[in-house]
């Protein structure tokens, strides 16, 4: 395979290679560390890996649009939590499931709108705005709940995370969303324009793209998708914790970056984000099976995030040089 | 006669360009020597040889009794040459005194520890500020003083280094009449001290007022040096312009001014005041040129028409229909296209291959909901891009090549393709041949003429008079944000344009 071909191959399949490498590593390590039997590479565990990945993936779907514009959204974890809290509170009050979900997602959209409007109106970097709103949104959840978890929810809440056949509903949901997003990013005018805006804001403006409205759109999408992630979080736990999703922006950002989304804007693919999310889920799952303590998991997690992005970059750099 | 600076036969080459060709220049003590020429004539290049930034390929520089093949920035400082750039290089966050001692803060010792000697600094700063009449506390932060005072800080700084040669690059470009007069008084004071001043300016009126001698450069070549006393400023205009133009006149035989008025602008004023009260008509099939010096407000006017920047008043009519354009999206929808001056900043997308680049505005124009709805038709877009690259003879490996990796001329063709694909009525080209090789230039002129022949209206903003004369049917001249002349391109000369572009009425 020549240089140019390999570069193209790596650009497309680099993230997948890293993920497979991780699978192999865990598949070999678990029997050695445990009693000789395979715990990682089983059908059951693979579904667990997916299920664990879904929340990170959904938050990362949202994060993707913020990063695509060379920005960032630090509030995705708090928005996810808020959505869960709103739905839980309404469910507890006996509101029908459908309305709970709609109102919860409208709440997420509202938060994204606030992010977008603040970024546009104050002309501040999204980092600054979402750093602030992240705390504000978290505070709103704490105020609504009085700091206590919302539990004793009706049956339908947990049912949202149940299985259809062998496949969990959240996995199906994420798959459908992924397909929609692939279509949106590659086949719609709005999706294309977001890439254009991320690539060069001034050129986008002079090409006729309404840069402010598109910035708003990106942040609404970011929060809406984070809200969907919040629903999955709520359904899996069966209760809404006002501290849920705290720090998840890290995993959302990591999923995007591992998936090849460029921090400089204008570059990245939905499929990459899917794989990035699964990579994060795989690391957590593998470390759990290996019996690594949750404290150490944090340390290893951070190192693996840096390591996997560095490896991906190193391979493509080497390919470019050779 | 002893010269302060004696530059002999200086030649400076940049990749692909001969920026200075065998230019000689002398500066006497106590004189103001004006460097005059169009944009790109080589004035800044010459000055940068003295500051050690540009390394001449041949020639020599003698400063006082020191002889150099090429100066380094250090030599320049040692020869006590100071430059005051148009973009002042003061640090806003520091005080006047700190700015004057930037990089060489005086220290004193407290015990073992060296600390900045603020007392000494203030004292010295006050002394030099006093010499040029700058009445400020040396501790004032520079951000709190006016532009002309900042300039005076730079002059005081030059004096504090005992400069013998001070170079001023368009020093009056952002000064009021009062401030300019004040600057001239300071310059007269400097002359008395025997300091030689190289003064770069476009403003002919100033030359008479402050200059002793004037040297004219054109296209990197030396034209003439004159004593200001025995000359009328208007005599200088023919020296600055009037190069031989190859006959490649593209203006049509037919009289397009008799065609219907396609597009008209009335009393357009931009909110930031960069252009005021602009009115013109554009006829079907016409190429209308906009001439003027850089910063005269031509691009600013076009950005206002295109909706990229806000206007405070003005009426725009296309095909008899009044338009209210608030942003480029509306301009696009109404049929106005604009190819901007800075390709890299406002032209293309570094993350897009050619075919997506070409498709951006087309898909936007077709889309509804203010540019948010609709799907992209990849096959159609790719074949449109194929056709456009062939039609404009764009050199690329394929339409999948990234635009950023093309040469300047081909990037420009991709951007033109983008707007051609939209099918607009009015095409605005802002410096369309900037940084483009000669071959691609003439192709672009031809593209513009083809558009006009197809019944479009074409506007061409250019700082290169030969291309305006060879391409346009009519030329409007801007000076300092206003229209200062309008000419049919029949026997029109560069002198006439230049006169309107720089002459105070």
């Amino acid at each position: 395979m020549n240089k140019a071909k390999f570069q193209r191959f790596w650009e497309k399949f680099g993230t997948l290679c890293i993920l497979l490498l991780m699978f192999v590593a865990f598949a070999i390590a678990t029997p050695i560390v445990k009693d000789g039997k395979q715990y990682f590479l089983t059908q059951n565990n693979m579904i667990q890996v997916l299920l664990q990945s879904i929340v990170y993936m959904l938050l990362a779907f949202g994060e993707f649009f913020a990063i695509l514009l060379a920005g960032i959204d630090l509030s995705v974890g708090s928005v996810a939590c808020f959505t869960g809290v709103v739905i839980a509170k309404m469910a507890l009050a006996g509101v029908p499931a459908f309305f709970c979900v709609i109102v919860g997602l409208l709440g997420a959209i509202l938060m994204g709108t606030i992010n977008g409007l603040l970024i546009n109106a104050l002309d501040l970097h999204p980092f600054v705005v979402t750093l602030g709103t992240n705390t504000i949104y978290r505070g709103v959840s704490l105020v609504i709940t009085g700091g206590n978890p919302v539990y004793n929810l009706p049956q339908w809440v947990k049912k949202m995370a149940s299985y259809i056949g062998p496949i969990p509903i959240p996995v199906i949901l994420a798959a459908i969303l992924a397909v929609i997003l692939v279509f949106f990013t590659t086949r719609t005018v709005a999706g294309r324009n977001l890439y254009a805006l991320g690539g060069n804001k001034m050129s986008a403006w002079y090409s006729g793209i309404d840069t402010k409205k598109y910035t708003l759109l990106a942040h609404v999408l970011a929060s809406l998708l984070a809200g969907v992630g919040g629903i999955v979080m709520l359904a899996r736990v069966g209760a809404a914790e006002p501290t849920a999703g705290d720090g998840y922006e890290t995993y959302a950002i990591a999923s995007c970056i591992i998936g090849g989304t460029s921090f400089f804007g204008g570059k990245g693919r939905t499929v990459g984000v899917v794989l990035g999310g699964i990579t994060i889920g795989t690391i957590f799952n593998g470390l759990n099976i290996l019996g690594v303590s949750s404290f150490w998991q944090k340390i290893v997690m951070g190192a693996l995030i840096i390591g996997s992005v560095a490896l991906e970059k190193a391979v493509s750099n080497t390919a470019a040089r050779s | 006669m002893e010269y302060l600076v004696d530059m002999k036969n200086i030649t400076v080459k940049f990749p692909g360009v001969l920026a200075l060709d065998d230019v000689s220049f002398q500066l006497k003590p106590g004189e103001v020597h004006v460097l005059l020429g169009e944009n790109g004539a080589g004035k800044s290049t010459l000055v940068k040889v003295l500051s050690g930034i540009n390394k001449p390929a041949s020639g020599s520089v003698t400063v006082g009794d020191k002889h150099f093949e090429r100066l380094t920035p250090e030599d320049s400082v040692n020869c006590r040459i100071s430059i005051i750039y148009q973009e002042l290089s003061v640090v806003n966050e520091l005080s006047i005194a700190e700015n004057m001692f930037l990089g060489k803060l005086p220290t004193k010792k407290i015990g073992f520890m060296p600390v900045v000697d603020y007392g000494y600094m203030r004292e010295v700063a006050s002394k030099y500020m006093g010499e040029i009449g700058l009445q400020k506390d040396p501790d004032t932060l520079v951000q709190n003083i006016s532009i002309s005072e900042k300039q005076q800080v730079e002059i005081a700084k030059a004096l504090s280094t005992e400069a013998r040669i001070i170079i001023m690059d368009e020093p009056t470009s952002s000064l009021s009449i009062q401030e300019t007069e004040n600057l001239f008084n300071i310059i007269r004071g400097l002359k008395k001290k025997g300091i030689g001043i190289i003064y770069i300016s476009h403003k002919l009126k100033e030359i008479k007022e402050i200059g002793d001698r004037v040297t004219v450069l054109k296209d990197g070549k030396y034209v003439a040096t004159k004593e200001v006393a025995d000359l009328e400023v208007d005599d200088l205009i023919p020296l600055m312009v009037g190069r031989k133009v190859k006959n490649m006149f593209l203006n049509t035989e037919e009289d397009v001014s008799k065609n219907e008025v396609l597009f008209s602008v009335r009393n357009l004023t931009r909110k930031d005041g960069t252009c005021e009260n602009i009115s013109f008509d554009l006829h079907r099939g016409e190429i209308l040129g906009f001439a003027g010096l850089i910063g005269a407000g031509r691009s600013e006017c076009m950005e206002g028409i295109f909706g990229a920047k806000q206007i405070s008043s003005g009426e725009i009519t296309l095909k008899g229909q009044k338009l209210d354009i608030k942003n480029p999206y509306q301009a696009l929808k109404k049929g106005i296209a604009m190819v901007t001056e800075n390709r890299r900043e406002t032209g293309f997308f570094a993350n897009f291959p050619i075919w997506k680049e070409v498709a951006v505005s087309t898909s936007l124009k077709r889309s509804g909901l203010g540019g948010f709805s609709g799907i992209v038709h990849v096959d159609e877009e790719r074949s449109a891009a194929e056709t456009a690259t062939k039609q404009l003879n764009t050199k690329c490996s394929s339409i999948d090549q990234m635009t950023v990796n093309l040469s300047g001329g081909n990037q420009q063709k991709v951007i033109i393709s983008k707007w051609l694909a939209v099918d607009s009525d009015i095409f605005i080209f802002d410096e369309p041949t900037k940084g483009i090789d000669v071959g691609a230039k003439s192709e672009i002129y031809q593209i513009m003429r083809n558009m006009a022949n197809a019944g479009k209206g074409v506007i061409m903003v250019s700082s290169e008079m030969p291309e305006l004369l060879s391409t346009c049917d009519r030329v409007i001249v801007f000076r300092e944000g206003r229209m200062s002349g309008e000419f049919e391109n029949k026997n029109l000369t560069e002198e006439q344009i230049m006169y309107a572009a720089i002459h105070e009425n």
Side-chain angles (χ1 to χ4, degrees):
Chain A
M1 198 161 10
N2 66 27
K3 176 180 143 188
K5 263 192 180 165
F6 181 78
Q7 269 182 297
R8 239 174 288 145
F9 167 83
W10 189 254
E11 208 169 279
K12 271 199 163 157
F13 298 108
T15 315
L16 188 63
C17 290
I18 301 280
L19 182 58
L20 290 177
L21 192 72
M22 217 165 267
F23 266 70
V24 172
F26 281 127
I28 295 171
T30 45
I32 298 172
V33 176
K34 310 277 279 193
D35 51 9
K37 276 194 241 161
Q38 180 60 272
Y39 289 90
F40 180 77
L41 212 56
T42 64
Q43 192 199 337
N44 210 0
N45 191 52
M46 286 300 101
I47 289 181
Q48 278 309 308
V49 166
L50 279 179
L51 197 52
Q52 262 179 297
S53 310
I54 294 307
V55 173
Y56 308 128
M57 200 188 291
L58 291 172
L59 263 57
F61 281 158
E63 192 69 57
F64 172 76
F65 288 104
I67 297 179
L68 189 62
L69 300 198
I72 196 111
D73 187 347
L74 298 176
S75 71
V76 286
S78 296
V79 170
C81 170
F82 171 81
T83 310
V85 164
V86 168
I87 293 174
K89 275 282 183 187
M90 289 175 67
L92 208 56
V95 178
F98 178 75
F99 290 108
C100 292
V101 171
I102 293 295
V103 173
L105 291 178
L106 284 175
I109 288 174
L110 174 69
M111 297 194 148
T113 309
I114 293 172
N115 283 343
L117 289 179
L118 283 176
I119 290 162
N120 282 338
L122 305 178
D123 199 20
L124 288 175
H125 192 277
F127 189 101
V128 181
V129 170
T130 58
L131 183 71
T133 56
N134 181 44
T135 311
I136 294 171
Y137 298 162
R138 177 68 58 188
V140 172
S141 295
L142 285 165
V143 168
I144 292 174
T145 59
N148 301 312
V150 187
Y151 55 98
N152 277 336
L153 302 178
Q155 280 300 309
W156 62 262
V157 173
K158 272 218 126 171
K159 265 198 184 143
M160 289 192 298
S162 60
Y163 288 66
I164 293 178
I167 318 239
I169 293 174
V171 174
I172 297 170
L173 174 73
I176 293 170
L177 270 180
V179 171
I180 293 174
L181 289 181
V182 167
F183 180 80
F184 176 72
T185 52
T186 60
R187 289 280 182 264
T188 66
V189 174
R192 165 88 60 76
N193 286 347
L194 284 170
Y195 280 84
L197 178 56
N200 187 339
K201 192 175 175 182
M202 289 311 288
S203 291
W205 174 245
Y206 280 90
S207 297
I209 294 171
D210 192 328
T211 50
K212 289 205 164 179
K213 280 187 195 151
Y214 266 96
T215 305
L216 181 62
L217 172 69
H219 282 275
V220 167
L221 285 175
S223 289
L224 175 61
L225 290 161
V228 177
I231 296 176
V232 173
M233 258 165 39
L234 172 74
R236 284 193 65 199
V237 180
E241 296 265 2
T243 54
D246 198 11
Y248 274 31
E249 65 277 4
T250 316
Y251 305 126
I253 295 164
S255 302
C256 291
I257 303 305
I258 292 171
T261 314
S262 166
F263 250 128
F264 298 105
K267 273 181 201 160
R269 294 184 310 145
T270 309
V271 179
V273 181
V274 170
L275 295 174
I278 296 177
T279 307
I280 299 285
T282 305
I283 296 173
F284 269 126
N285 177 278
L287 293 177
N288 269 330
I289 292 180
L290 288 175
V292 178
S293 86
S294 63
F295 303 151
W296 277 99
Q297 275 190 18
K298 287 246 175 204
I299 295 171
V300 177
M301 184 70 174
L304 282 177
I305 290 172
I306 296 172
S308 59
V309 177
L311 180 65
E312 209 173 319
K313 202 177 150 105
V315 173
S316 65
N317 281 354
T318 317
R321 242 181 278 126
S322 61
Chain B
M1 164 58 87
E2 172 113 356
Y3 291 121
L4 265 183
V5 176
D6 189 1
M7 305 175 85
K8 281 198 181 116
N9 311 99
I10 303 287
T11 298
V12 176
K13 286 177 186 159
F14 293 135
V17 199
L18 198 55
L20 277 182
D21 186 5
D22 198 26
V23 171
S24 297
F25 179 85
Q26 287 87 26
L27 180 68
K28 297 176 196 165
E31 80 162 342
V32 174
H33 195 152
V34 180
L35 264 181
L36 190 67
E38 284 183 281
N39 303 314
K43 306 179 302 264
S44 299
T45 314
L46 184 68
V47 160
K48 281 180 183 163
V49 169
L50 272 185
S51 64
I53 295 171
N54 287 340
K55 309 278 178 237
S58 62
S60 69
V61 181
T62 308
V63 185
D65 49 5
K66 288 187 207 128
H67 189 76
F68 300 94
E69 287 291 308
R70 47 185 65 177
L71 275 84
T72 64
E74 214 179 4
D75 292 333
S76 176
V77 171
N78 291 338
C79 292
R80 293 192 269 151
I81 298 171
S82 280
I83 300 198
I84 296 164
Y85 291 104
Q86 194 176 359
E87 315 283 325
L88 298 172
S89 52
V90 286
V91 182
N92 278 324
E93 289 74 17
L94 297 180
S95 72
I96 295 176
E98 284 168 327
N99 265 290
M100 285 177 59
F101 285 91
L102 204 60
K104 44 180 196 295
L105 291 176
T107 56
K108 61 181 177 189
K109 286 227 167 100
I110 296 181
F112 291 104
M113 206 173 58
V115 295
V116 177
D117 190 346
Y118 277 102
Y120 174 77
M121 241 166 72
R122 260 181 231 121
E123 196 182 305
V124 176
S126 304
K127 179 184 155 215
Y128 288 108
M129 285 161 66
E131 272 186 37
I132 57 165
L134 173 57
Q135 284 157 356
K136 282 276 167 187
D137 182 345
D139 288 333
T140 315
L141 289 185
V142 164
Q143 63 194 5
N144 297 329
I145 64 178
S146 72
I147 289 180
S148 79
E149 286 166 340
K150 286 179 189 179
Q151 195 177 48
Q152 291 171 24
V153 170
E154 295 230 49
I155 296 172
K157 182 179 172 182
L159 287 178
S160 76
T161 62
E162 302 191 348
R164 290 187 302 169
I165 298 140
I166 297 180
I167 301 163
M168 297 184 181
D169 189 358
E170 298 204 34
T172 58
S173 59
S174 42
L175 299 189
S176 68
I177 296 170
Q178 192 56 47
E179 289 167 337
T180 303
E181 199 40 56
N182 192 17
L183 176 71
F184 288 168
N185 283 331
I186 293 172
I187 290 175
R188 288 181 195 114
L190 299 177
K191 284 172 63 173
K192 285 203 190 101
K193 290 181 204 290
I195 295 172
I197 292 160
I198 302 174
Y199 190 98
I200 299 178
S201 181
H202 281 308
K203 300 186 182 170
L204 293 178
K205 216 173 111 192
E206 293 180 353
I207 296 173
K208 198 75 185 162
E209 197 167 337
I210 193 71
D212 296 306
R213 287 195 297 161
V214 52
T215 290
V216 182
L217 297 180
K218 182 171 68 186
D219 296 337
K221 291 191 179 70
Y222 172 86
V223 178
T225 301
K226 305 265 182 193
E227 293 287 335
V228 171
D230 7 304
L231 135 145
E232 285 303 313
V233 281
D234 290 349
D235 300 343
L236 290 167
I237 293 175
L239 298 177
M240 297 167 68
V241 295
R243 62 181 75 59
K244 290 268 178 286
V245 189
K246 261 188 245 145
N247 271 332
M248 48 178 198
F249 283 91
L250 289 166
N251 16 2
T252 43
E253 291 298 310
E254 58 180 306
D255 190 359
V256 288
S257 65
K258 292 208 174 67
N259 287 357
E260 62 173 293
V261 172
L262 196 58
F263 181 68
S264 73
V265 172
R266 287 290 172 273
N267 306 317
L268 185 103
T269 296
R270 241 176 76 164
K271 224 170 193 173
D272 58 11
T274 45
C275 68
E276 281 174 37
N277 213 12
I278 306 301
S279 301
F280 63 88
D281 287 331
L282 176 63
H283 300 93
R284 183 180 290 281
E286 184 180 39
I287 301 181
L288 176 56
F290 282 79
L293 298 170
I294 287 172
R298 297 163 298 159
S299 303
E300 288 76 5
C301 169
M302 297 309 151
E303 288 170 341
I305 292 171
F306 190 59
K309 294 283 163 65
Q310 284 187 307
I311 56 172
S312 56
S313 65
E315 203 170 82
I316 296 167
T317 318
L318 174 63
K319 292 179 178 167
Q321 188 198 350
K322 262 185 207 157
L323 304 184
D324 182 24
I325 296 169
K326 293 217 163 55
N327 55 39
Y329 175 72
Q330 289 169 346
L332 165 77
K333 278 277 189 187
K334 299 292 182 193
I336 302 173
M338 178 163 174
V339 175
T340 56
E341 180 179 1
N342 297 309
R343 288 187 288 278
R344 194 166 283 273
E345 281 118 59
T346 55
F348 63 84
F349 302 95
N351 56 332
F352 275 6
I354 294 170
W355 70 271
K356 278 193 191 176
E357 200 83 53
V358 174
V360 164
S361 297
T362 314
S363 62
L364 204 54
K365 188 170 187 180
R366 280 189 196 159
S367 129
L369 293 177
F372 282 86
S373 71
I375 60 167
V376 294
H377 306 274
V378 175
D379 291 337
E380 217 175 287
E381 289 177 354
R382 291 183 66 92
S383 67
E386 288 281 6
T387 316
T389 47
K390 279 209 191 87
Q391 196 186 335
L392 301 195
N393 191 22
T394 312
K395 286 178 196 70
C396 55
S397 58
S398 79
I399 55 164
D400 289 308
Q401 199 181 355
M402 302 301 265
T403 314
V404 66
N405 295 332
L406 300 174
S407 72
N410 288 308
Q411 285 176 351
Q412 189 69 301
K413 287 181 184 173
V414 171
I415 296 168
I416 294 174
S417 303
K418 171 170 88 178
W419 287 112
L420 272 179
V422 176
D423 191 29
S424 302
D425 297 306
I426 306 297
F427 287 85
I428 302 171
F429 289 88
D430 193 0
E431 304 283 0
T433 61
K434 193 173 154 189
I436 288 177
D437 63 273
V438 182
K441 272 186 185 180
S442 57
E443 283 179 300
I444 286 172
Y445 303 143
Q446 192 57 55
I447 292 166
M448 291 166 61
R449 179 48 68 190
N450 291 345
M451 287 176 177
N453 289 345
K456 314 286 186 191
V458 178
I459 287 173
M460 178 192 198
V461 175
S462 173
S463 296
E464 291 183 36
M465 288 187 291
E467 71 176 17
L468 286 172
L469 289 176
S470 67
T471 316
C472 299
D473 300 301
R474 198 153 51 95
V475 177
I476 288 175
V477 186
F478 270 49
R479 191 177 63 79
E480 294 176 8
R482 289 161 187 276
M483 285 169 60
S484 58
E486 182 172 348
F487 307 95
E488 286 293 325
N489 190 5
K490 281 178 187 129
N491 309 318
L492 179 63
T493 62
E494 292 188 29
E495 281 87 344
Q496 284 171 282
I497 296 177
M498 190 47 116
Y499 189 87
I502 58 182
H503 205 273
E504 317 258 341
N505 295 321

